[in-house]
Structure formats: structure tokens, C-alpha cells
């Protein structure tokens, strides 16, 4: 049995896109922060891409984050005081231009709550937290990037044989992710090959679903979960599953938008069978097939 879960406290980079509202992204996604410098134009690029920057030998697109999420775009006069947040997410280096950097603070995933209904339909927010009694919105960077850089169809639709499909079809599969775009990607991948599944938007609901299914005599065979989630994150969910006699036969696949060996290593530490950097549908399906093999061995 796994004895210890990983430390669930994570650094959060706080910044602002407007004068009043603070936003945050996890520091695991951040490679560096640099002052604005002159950008090179990228012809025919997305309207929110201001140009390309070259940093330490890497050329990366720079996005006006305020404009991308629906706030007033940066003016030319503002650029000289702005900062570029360089991120490593979804297997790409991208710079986000923001109006200002506030600070880095530690935050426990348990302290992040679902967005209140008063925020309206701001789909770019996955959670909210309080820092020094101020409300900070956690941005859904994956959704933002999916709008600017839509996934190629080949990445969304897996290819498998009829035999492989029939191996997966009888299995009970649970998909978990707090990001709407990630849930849609996961759903589309399985829908395209006619594989049934269940879905949850957070780790706590997923754990309750798994416990209920197990007590009803129909446990889940495969769990596919995001790592970074408010409340109960993927590490903790994997830890709970592997330390439960009712649940630990489930094949656990953790996936993350972080291109980080650290995340993969921690996933294995808490008992996950596999850890993937999302999203590539064929990689996910073949991980599920390995889970199906293990399930048949146990049976």
C-alpha cells in the first residue's frame, strides 16, 4: 500500500489583467517571467497573438492574455510596463503578456473552490481562492490555449482495431477533469470509437462515484484523471484509490498539461500506473489498453 501522498501545497503566480482583479496560474506551468521586449510579427496568426519572442534560443508566440479572455487589450503605451509569463503547457512554449505581476504565493488545492455563480459564464476560470482577503481567479490555461491553437483532428480521434475496441468496450471507465475543454477532449476521443464512459468534474465527486460503484458490485476498471484540480487533486485521488481494498484494482492513469518529469514522478509515487502529458488521443487509448490487459490478468 502507498503510505504517503505528495505535498498538495503548490505555488501560485498572481498577476493582473485589469486594475482590480487578480488572477493566478500554478507555478509548475511557469518557466520564467521577463519584461516585455519588441516582438516579431507572425503573419496570419490568431488575433490575440501579438508576435513572437526569442528567449534563450527558443522562439515562442506571445498572447495578449487580457484580450484572449475577454478584457480590454493592451495598448501600445502599456506595453513597456508589461511582463511576459513564459509557460510550458500542452507540449508547447507560449508567452502570456499581462499588465502586471503581483507575487508568488503558496496555496493548497483544498483551499480552491469552484467559481461562484456571480462570475457569470466566464469559462476561463476553473476555481477561486482568497489571498489576503482578496478573491483570486484561477485561469483555465488549457481552455485559453485550445481557443488560440485548436487541436488537430488527428490528436482528438484515436485509431484502433475492432479487436482493441471490443477489449475496451466492456470496461467501466471514469474520466475526471476540472477543465471543460479537457473533459470535451476526453469525451470526443471515446465517443469517436464508441467506448462508453462516466465523467466527473472534480476529484471528490469521482471518489464518491468510485466508492458507490464498488459497493454496488460494479467497480470502475480504469480511472483517467487530471492532476491539477481544486479540492481533491489527481495525486490525492490516486492515493485514495490505491489505499482502498475496494478500489485498488482500478487501473489509474493520471494526465497533466505540464511538460514536467517531476509531475510524472510524483504520479508514480502515489500509485498511478501511468502518467501522460495531455492531450494525444492515441497515447491515452493505448494506456487504457494496457489497463485492460492488467484487468484481465487480475480477473
Amino acid at each position: 500500500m502507498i503510505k504517503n501522498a505528495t505535498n498538495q501545497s503548490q505555488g501560485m503566480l498572481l498577476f493582473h489583467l485589469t486594475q482590480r482583479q487578480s488572477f493566478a496560474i500554478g507555478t509548475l506551468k511557469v518557466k520564467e517571467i521577463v519584461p516585455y521586449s519588441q516582438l516579431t510579427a507572425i503573419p496570419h496568426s490568431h488575433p490575440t497573438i501579438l508576435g513572437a519572442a526569442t528567449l534563450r534560443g527558443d522562439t515562442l508566440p506571445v498572447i495578449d492574455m487580457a484580450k484572449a479572455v475577454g478584457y480590454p487589450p493592451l495598448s501600445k503605451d502599456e506595453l513597456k510596463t508589461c511582463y511576459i509569463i513564459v509557460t510550458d503547457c500542452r507540449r508547447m512554449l507560449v508567452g502570456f503578456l499581462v499588465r502586471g505581476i503581483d507575487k508568488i504565493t503558496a496555496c493548497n488545492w483544498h483551499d480552491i473552490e469552484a467559481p461562484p455563480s456571480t462570475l457569470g459564464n466566464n469559462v476561463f476560470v476553473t476555481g477561486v481562492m482568497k489571498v489576503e482577503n482578496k478573491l483570486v481567479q484561477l485561469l483555465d490555461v488549457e481552455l485559453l490555449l485550445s481557443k488560440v491553437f485548436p487541436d488537430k483532428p488527428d490528436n482528438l480521434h484515436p485509431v484502433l482495431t475492432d479487436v482493441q475496441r471490443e477489449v475496451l468496450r466492456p470496461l467501466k471507465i471514469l474520466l475526471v477533469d476540472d477543465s471543460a475543454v479537457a473533459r470535451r477532449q476526453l469525451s470526443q476521443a471515446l465517443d469517436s470509437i464508441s467506448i462508453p464512459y462516466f465523467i466527473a468534474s472534480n476529484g471528490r465527486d469521482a471518489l464518491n462515484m468510485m466508492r458507490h460503484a464498488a459497493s454496488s458490485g460494479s467497480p470502475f476498471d480504469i480511472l483517467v484523471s487530471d492532476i491539477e484540480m481544486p479540492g481533491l487533486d489527481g495525486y490525492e485521488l490516486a492515493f485514495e484509490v490505491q489505499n482502498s481494498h475496494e478500489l485498488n484494482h482500478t487501473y489509474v492513469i493520471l494526465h497533466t498539461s505540464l511538460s514536467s518529469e517531476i509531475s510524472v514522478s510524483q504520479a508514480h509515487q502515489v500509485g498511478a500506473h501511468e502518467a501522460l502529458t495531455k492531450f494525444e488521443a492515441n497515447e491515452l487509448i493505448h494506456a487504457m489498453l494496457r489497463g485492460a490487459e492488467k484487468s484481465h490478468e487480475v480477473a
Side-chain angles (χ1 to χ4, degrees):
M1 293 179 67
I2 310 300
K3 295 183 178 180
N4 295 299
T6 58
N7 182 358
Q8 301 311 313
S9 180
Q10 186 196 320
M12 289 287 177
L13 173 64
L14 274 56
F15 57 93
H16 55 273
L17 303 179
T18 69
Q19 294 300 320
R20 295 184 178 182
Q21 181 60 54
S22 291
F23 297 85
I25 59 175
T27 54
L28 290 176
K29 289 186 173 75
V30 179
K31 291 205 68 173
E32 61 180 317
I33 303 167
V34 297
Y36 171 80
S37 59
Q38 190 68 34
L39 304 176
T40 302
I42 304 177
H44 312 297
S45 59
H46 191 275
T48 62
I49 297 178
L50 299 178
T54 300
L55 300 172
R56 310 187 196 289
D58 292 316
T59 300
L60 58 148
V62 176
I63 297 171
D64 181 344
M65 184 180 268
K67 183 177 181 180
V69 301
Y71 289 104
L74 294 165
S75 66
K76 289 185 178 180
D77 292 336
E78 290 179 291
L79 292 179
K80 59 184 178 182
T81 61
C82 291
Y83 289 86
I84 299 173
I85 302 173
V86 181
T87 65
D88 188 352
C89 186
R90 286 169 57 96
R91 305 183 185 185
M92 66 176 78
L93 283 178
V94 177
F96 290 107
L97 196 63
V98 300
R99 282 187 163 88
I101 301 294
D102 297 328
K103 63 179 181 178
I104 291 176
T105 186
C107 178
N108 192 297
W109 284 113
H110 289 288
D111 298 328
I112 301 175
E113 301 176 353
S117 57
T118 52
L119 289 181
N121 296 321
N122 189 348
V123 293
F124 293 102
V125 176
T126 60
V128 294
M129 59 185 182
K130 282 192 175 181
V131 178
E132 298 174 354
N133 293 321
K134 292 183 179 179
L135 192 69
V136 177
Q137 299 180 18
L138 182 62
L139 282 184
D140 188 344
V141 178
E142 294 171 23
L143 178 58
L144 194 159
L145 289 175
S146 74
K147 300 291 187 183
V148 180
F149 305 104
D151 287 292
K152 296 178 181 179
D154 290 346
N155 289 342
L156 295 175
H157 302 300
V159 177
L160 75 170
T161 66
D162 290 340
V163 172
Q164 290 172 325
R165 182 182 294 106
E166 293 310 311
V167 168
L168 289 178
R169 198 189 297 274
L171 300 182
K172 196 169 182 179
I173 299 169
L174 177 59
L175 311 176
V176 192
D177 206 301
D178 66 315
S179 169
V181 66
R183 290 196 302 273
R184 185 171 64 250
Q185 288 173 333
L186 292 167
S187 298
Q188 287 177 347
L190 295 189
D191 286 342
S192 68
I193 53 176
S194 302
I195 300 299
Y197 57 88
F198 295 79
I199 198 160
S201 60
N202 61 77
R204 181 60 60 190
D205 285 351
L207 185 58
N208 290 336
M209 290 171 66
M210 293 185 71
R211 286 172 173 165
H212 182 267
S215 64
S216 301
S218 180
F220 284 98
D221 300 294
I222 295 177
L223 168 67
V224 180
S225 175
D226 185 20
I227 291 178
E228 293 187 297
M229 296 185 294
L232 190 76
D233 71 13
Y235 292 132
E236 289 183 304
L237 178 57
F239 173 78
E240 292 290 342
V241 169
Q242 293 297 352
N243 280 272
S244 167
H245 291 297
E246 285 187 315
L247 308 178
N248 62 13
H249 85 286
T250 301
Y251 194 82
V252 179
I253 303 169
L254 293 185
H255 61 110
T256 176
S257 59
L258 306 173
S259 303
S260 168
E261 293 181 3
I262 295 175
S263 298
V264 173
S265 174
Q266 288 181 332
H268 291 306
Q269 287 176 28
V270 296
H273 297 89
E274 304 207 30
L276 308 174
T277 53
K278 59 183 180 186
F279 178 79
E280 208 286 317
N282 281 311
E283 287 185 13
L284 175 61
I285 294 302
H286 281 87
M288 288 183 175
L289 287 168
R290 289 188 288 274
E293 291 178 7
K294 185 176 179 66
S295 178
H296 291 154
E297 289 173 3
V298 173

